[in-house]
Amino acid sequence: MSASQSSRLSGDGVFDLTRTAVVMADRAGVARGWTAGAERLLGYGVSEAVGRPLADLFAVVGAGPGRDSRWTDRLASATGWSGLEAVRHKDGHRLDLEFRVLPVLDDRKGFSRLVLAAELTQTPWSGASRSFLEGILGMSPIGVAMVNADLQFIWLNDALEQMGGTSRDQRLGKRLGEVQPGLAVQAIEEEMRRVLRTGTPSVGYEYLGRPQSDPQREHAYSTSFFRMEDEAGQVLGICYMVLDVTESYRARQRMTLLNKAGERIGSSLDVWRTAQELAEVAVPDLADFVTVDLLDALLSGEEAAPGELDAADLLAMRRAGQQSVREGCPEAVIAVGEPTAYPPSAPVVRSLTAGDSTLLQSLDLADDGWAAEDPVRAVHLRSLGFHSLMVVPLRARGVFLGAAAFSRWQATGPFQPDDLVLAEEFVARAAISIDNARRYTREHNAALTLQHSLLPRDLPEQCAVEAACRYLPADSLSGVGGDWFDVIPLSGARVALVVGDVVGHGMHAAATMGRLRAAVQALADLDLSPEEVLAHLDDMLDRVAHDANADDGVIGATCLYAVYDPVSCRCTLARAGHPAPLLVGPDGAGELLDLPTGPPLGLGGMPFESVELPLPEGSLLALYTNGLLLGKALDLDGGITRLRRALSDPAAPLEDLCDTVIGGLPGGRPVDDVALLLARTRALPRSQLATWEIPADPSAVGEARRTAAGRLREWGLEDLGFSTELIVSELVTNAIRHATGPIGLRMIRARDLICEVSDASSTTPHLRHARTTDEGGRGLFLIARYAQRWGTRYTAQGKIIWAELPLAAAPGPEPPNDLDALLEDLGGDPADFTGAEDN
């Protein structure tokens, strides 16, 4: 590790010698150097201690005459001395100390002995069979050394010699950088100079490096530095002690990486993103290059079967994530999203088929069998210097999802077993997140499919209004909600505009919404008035709530139902607890329509009222749900103001207006589901409308046919003559025979040709098959055969029977050459045939 990378690693110092006395003495037993630790232990300052005999400084308890010379004898020993002694502190109290006297091999500064002393009660080694100092300096893993003021070694113990991998002879007289270039020399020496300069000990200074004893592996060290001074206060050098804390550092590093993985992996419910997060979290702290391959079936949403895999299953894998310490991932031979292709002997395949992790501490790309089967990849990886590999299968809930491969090419040494444990922990967390993301994606797609099936994909073509819509669910996770909208073409060129809101969000609300929308469409086909539609919906929702489980919660909804007629340019509206629509006139003035509120759906038994209003051509009608108005501040008035402002230009394109309204929502994400339906009204030109009053006389049938044929010629629709004459003939005949006047005939040329016959009767006609002996009963059967669709709607004056024919020629029965001939084929004299008995 470089000097710039060295640092004080987290944690307390491994050892604390701040209360250990380190004293330099000459052979005569006179103190020549005194540390702050000695001052704290014995109470003597540097000026008091330096120059005094050790016998005075370490005054033995109970010493009698002649015992003061013992320090001279101990210092004179060529091999040093160690032992226990009870001495007096400066203030007189007793200290039980362990001593070690060591000879210093370099005597250039005039001192020759190093004396170390520590209090028994302050050391964890108290009571051991050997002394504390002997353990530190001889048998313990703590390395001890002394350097002079030039930072050159003058003494070191056996532990430091073994720890560094360089002998005493190689160290003495040299600086650290000359013997251990793999350490963070610049930072270490800077720390020693700081201690020399300030005198403040440095305890627990940690750094990383590669010692000569193990240059392939990075080690962590904890070191303490103490300044040495003579009696005059002159700085003599540094005493430092060092301990190899690689294992504890790696344990802390692994814990940090695991915490990092827990924070980063699985941050989203997206399979691809989670796979990439796994690759990113392992680089560069664990590996130099990481790839994540997932089974193609998993990515496509299929449910994988639990159990072991075979090689055939692995032919369909896809790269889901990769990361490198090199910019641009030059190690990758395929890109993310592309299918992978491994030979059967590749480590990834072997690991998945065996179901176990693979650790290749030494990766030989020249001799491995799989390299021969995949020479392109092998040559590429060999050129990049890959030397170690781990492969860990991704498995969750008994199902194999894929595999992650961790590679090294830098000189950080091979992967170790503890690295594999860490990689397996990474992969286990990622596998659960990927499986959750996979399950969520499948369920989310199912929910969206349900939502899309319940809402209109495209608004239907019709001539009454120009329409545009937006839907924005509040549930961002599922993407579904209970709001809906609809545009339903009705008979007579009219259109129904619907917006509704089911209480709640999510799947339950969406399912209820689907039932309501289906019911609205069925009721619209019956041509019921808006208040009748809402009454039927209220009854239906009341039954749904009665049948629902208690866990489903409250079931309720609001709805607005409007019918616009482009012929009369009038609109009939009714609402059930729903916000009133906003009407923007052609002049840009906007107002909320004053409609009877009506109770929400599901309360049961409450009446609804309709209001009929004129809507000039070009009017803009905005129907919406509550979520459009209620921002995070739940400001209803503010929502209305925003809506008015967004729709101030009624002539603007409707799609742009929708974007403006949705873009103006505060906070970006609504607090409630939002449905918006904009409708700009159209008016049917009078030239496309023809109406007649028909006398209640059978002879009027022929005149009605001829009048209809004439109008078809004016409209250029001669090709529809036969079908139209037949339908007009049958409808008019039916009205003359079975209804009461007045009778009216109306033809509308819209997207289809519409023929309507009105009368004052409320009797409902129905289709039936006539027997061969019946004189009638074939009229509505013929209409159903030749018309695109037909039906009946009721008015305050009676009923209208209508039929629609497509303007473009459509496949159907080939008409006979003559209408009279067809009537004869149906069983009767054409002069007497005046319709079928269909009532």
Side-chain angles (χ1 to χ4, degrees):
M1 180 175 181
S2 66
S4 62
Q5 293 173 302
S6 67
S7 64
R8 287 185 179 273
L9 306 178
S10 61
D12 296 331
V14 175
F15 50 83
D16 182 6
L17 297 184
T18 58
R19 291 186 57 81
T20 298
V22 181
V23 182
M24 295 303 304
D26 57 22
R27 289 187 176 88
V30 177
R32 299 301 180 186
W34 194 260
T35 64
E39 179 178 353
R40 279 187 288 272
L41 180 64
L42 296 166
Y44 297 100
V46 175
S47 60
E48 297 177 278
V50 174
R52 294 180 64 179
L54 294 184
D56 293 344
L57 300 172
F58 297 105
V60 178
V61 175
R67 297 196 62 181
D68 292 343
S69 62
R70 68 175 60 194
W71 281 107
T72 303
D73 298 336
R74 293 168 179 173
L75 294 173
S77 173
T79 58
W81 173 83
S82 64
L84 306 178
E85 196 72 85
V87 302
R88 295 289 181 186
H89 188 270
K90 178 183 177 181
D91 62 11
H93 74 267
R94 173 173 172 156
L95 295 173
D96 293 317
L97 303 181
E98 290 186 88
F99 287 92
R100 180 70 184 266
V101 178
L102 300 171
V104 178
L105 300 182
D106 183 84
D107 200 18
R108 291 174 296 175
K109 296 294 183 181
F111 52 83
S112 60
R113 293 297 181 266
L114 174 68
V115 179
L116 299 167
E119 191 174 5
L120 285 173
T121 58
Q122 298 296 324
T123 65
W125 295 273
S126 299
S129 61
R130 303 186 67 175
S131 73
F132 164 66
L133 295 177
E134 182 178 351
I136 291 180
L137 301 178
M139 302 300 294
S140 82
I142 301 176
V144 183
M146 289 188 62
V147 297
N148 59 24
D150 295 327
L151 304 184
Q152 296 168 328
F153 284 99
I154 59 175
W155 180 87
L156 70 154
N157 70 346
D158 295 342
L160 187 62
E161 185 178 22
Q162 297 170 2
M163 188 182 300
T166 54
S167 67
R168 286 186 175 85
D169 293 338
Q170 292 174 306
R171 287 197 183 226
L172 292 177
K174 297 179 181 178
R175 291 172 56 170
L176 182 63
E178 298 178 72
V179 294
Q180 293 288 352
L183 300 183
V185 177
Q186 182 178 350
I188 296 171
E189 291 188 346
E190 179 60 34
E191 186 69 8
M192 287 193 286
R193 290 191 185 95
R194 188 191 65 79
V195 174
L196 285 173
R197 184 175 62 254
T198 64
T200 303
S202 176
V203 180
Y205 178 81
E206 298 190 358
Y207 56 90
L208 301 176
R210 299 177 187 277
Q212 293 296 320
S213 59
D214 189 9
Q216 299 301 317
R217 187 183 181 201
E218 192 171 57
H219 288 244
Y221 299 97
S222 177
T223 307
S224 296
F225 304 96
F226 306 91
R227 189 172 76 177
M228 303 293 296
E229 302 175 356
D230 62 13
E231 66 275 12
Q234 181 180 355
V235 176
L236 302 177
I238 292 287
C239 174
Y240 77 82
M241 299 183 179
V242 58
L243 181 67
D244 190 325
V245 293
T246 301
E247 295 306 318
S248 62
Y249 167 73
R250 288 186 179 275
R252 294 198 307 269
Q253 186 184 42
R254 286 194 294 271
M255 185 60 66
T256 300
L257 287 176
L258 285 176
N259 291 337
K260 179 181 175 182
E263 294 173 358
R264 295 188 56 184
I265 297 177
S267 62
S268 67
L269 288 172
D270 181 84
V271 172
W272 296 90
R273 181 62 235 162
T274 304
Q276 184 61 33
E277 288 168 348
L278 169 59
E280 291 174 354
V281 79
V283 175
D285 296 317
L286 178 61
D288 301 325
F289 177 57
V290 176
T291 62
V292 181
D293 299 322
L294 299 178
L295 296 176
D296 213 11
L298 177 147
L299 294 171
S300 62
E302 298 179 16
E303 182 64 37
E308 298 181 354
L309 298 172
D310 55 40
D313 297 324
L314 306 181
L315 295 177
M317 295 183 68
R318 195 170 295 272
R319 179 64 45 83
Q322 57 190 18
Q323 185 71 13
S324 170
V325 294
R326 293 183 172 111
E327 186 176 356
C329 281
E331 302 93 334
V333 296
I334 60 174
V336 173
E338 295 183 354
T340 60
Y342 293 106
S345 59
V348 169
V349 177
R350 295 204 308 265
S351 182
L352 278 172
T353 52
D356 296 320
S357 301
T358 298
L359 172 61
L360 300 177
Q361 290 181 292
S362 178
L363 182 62
D364 190 347
L365 292 169
D367 296 336
D368 283 343
W370 72 269
E373 296 181 3
D374 195 357
V376 175
R377 182 182 273 114
V379 170
H380 181 66
L381 298 183
R382 188 162 56 246
S383 67
L384 294 171
F386 279 78
H387 60 78
S388 192
L389 174 69
M390 298 186 297
V391 178
V392 181
L394 281 99
R395 178 170 49 192
R397 301 178 178 95
V399 175
F400 282 96
L401 311 175
F406 304 79
S407 308
R408 281 183 179 171
W409 57 265
Q410 296 187 100
T412 53
F415 287 117
Q416 302 298 321
D418 57 347
D419 292 323
L420 181 61
V421 172
L422 183 60
E424 288 176 334
E425 182 65 26
F426 282 177
V427 170
R429 297 188 182 199
I432 292 297
S433 297
I434 288 175
D435 190 55
N436 289 339
R438 174 182 67 88
R439 291 168 179 265
Y440 162 76
T441 299
R442 186 177 67 248
E443 294 174 4
H444 182 246
N445 290 338
L448 289 180
T449 300
L450 171 63
Q451 180 75 59
H452 293 162
S453 68
L454 297 178
L455 290 174
R457 295 186 180 181
D458 298 302
L459 298 181
E461 296 291 342
Q462 39 75 41
C463 64
V465 296
E466 176 191 0
C469 58
R470 290 292 186 273
Y471 175 75
L472 188 63
D475 189 345
S476 59
L477 290 180
S478 68
V480 298
D483 290 12
W484 88 95
F485 56 88
D486 229 331
V487 176
I488 307 172
L490 302 177
S491 63
R494 299 168 306 139
V495 66
L497 306 174
V498 190
V499 170
D501 183 357
V502 175
V503 173
H505 315 293
M507 294 293 292
H508 177 61
T512 303
M513 174 270 286
R515 299 176 72 171
L516 285 173
R517 179 170 180 254
V520 169
Q521 291 179 325
L523 294 170
D525 283 342
L526 297 178
D527 269 317
L528 299 179
S529 63
E531 71 274 13
E532 290 179 298
V533 170
L534 295 181
H536 284 290
L537 290 179
D538 184 49
D539 292 340
M540 189 208 80
L541 200 59
D542 185 55
R543 291 192 299 272
V544 170
H546 184 269
D547 296 338
N549 296 325
D551 294 338
D552 291 338
V554 178
I555 296 179
T558 65
C559 184
L560 173 65
Y561 189 91
V563 175
Y564 174 70
D565 186 348
V567 176
S568 64
C569 292
R570 298 187 69 83
C571 185
T572 305
L573 308 93
R575 58 175 176 151
H578 202 82
L582 179 69
L583 175 63
V584 182
D587 58 355
E591 63 171 332
L592 288 178
L593 294 182
D594 185 14
L595 305 179
T597 303
L601 300 177
L603 296 183
M606 303 292 288
F608 300 95
E609 296 181 48
S610 293
V611 172
E612 186 175 352
L613 303 170
L615 293 186
E617 183 178 11
S619 299
L620 181 62
L621 193 62
L623 287 70
Y624 48 86
T625 55
N626 231 13
L628 187 71
L629 303 180
L630 298 178
K632 292 185 177 180
L634 302 179
D635 182 8
L636 183 63
D637 293 336
I640 294 294
T641 301
R642 288 195 309 272
L643 184 60
R644 278 199 179 102
R645 188 181 304 117
L647 301 179
S648 59
D649 182 9
L654 292 187
E655 294 294 334
D656 294 347
L657 290 177
C658 285
D659 292 338
T660 301
V661 172
I662 297 299
L665 288 173
R669 173 61 57 183
V671 297
D672 195 4
D673 300 333
V674 171
L676 172 67
L677 178 61
L678 298 182
R680 180 178 289 132
T681 61
R682 296 167 174 157
L684 193 71
R686 305 306 298 177
S687 60
Q688 296 178 219
L689 176 68
T691 59
W692 301 273
E693 288 188 9
I694 306 298
D697 188 334
S699 63
V701 175
E703 182 61 26
R705 291 206 314 259
R706 289 189 292 273
T707 301
R711 183 50 59 99
L712 291 180
R713 287 192 295 271
E714 293 178 16
W715 288 342
L717 301 177
E718 292 89 343
D719 291 343
L720 299 179
F722 175 80
S723 301
T724 303
E725 289 185 51
L726 175 63
I727 289 172
V728 168
S729 176
E730 294 306 317
L731 292 180
V732 171
T733 300
N734 217 37
I736 293 174
R737 281 191 171 183
H738 305 290
T740 59
I743 299 173
L745 171 63
R746 184 169 75 163
M747 294 176 61
I748 303 173
R749 186 185 187 278
R751 298 188 61 85
D752 299 307
L753 178 64
I754 303 170
C755 298
E756 297 180 342
V757 173
S758 60
D759 59 54
S761 171
S762 59
T763 305
T764 303
H766 60 277
L767 180 67
R768 67 184 180 86
H769 290 275
R771 296 184 296 272
T772 56
T773 57
D774 290 344
E775 294 184 359
R778 302 173 180 83
L780 292 183
F781 178 79
L782 288 173
I783 292 174
R785 189 179 182 194
Y786 282 92
Q788 179 174 263
R789 64 185 190 127
W790 71 279
T792 303
R793 70 174 182 269
Y794 294 91
T795 67
Q797 295 76 30
K799 70 174 182 296
I800 297 174
I801 304 177
W802 54 270
E804 293 181 0
L805 293 90
L807 297 183
E814 187 70 24
N817 294 329
D818 185 82
L819 177 59
D820 291 338
L822 174 62
L823 298 180
E824 289 179 357
D825 292 340
L826 291 174
D829 186 346
D832 297 331
F833 192 90
T834 55
E837 183 79 12
D838 295 308
N839 288 351

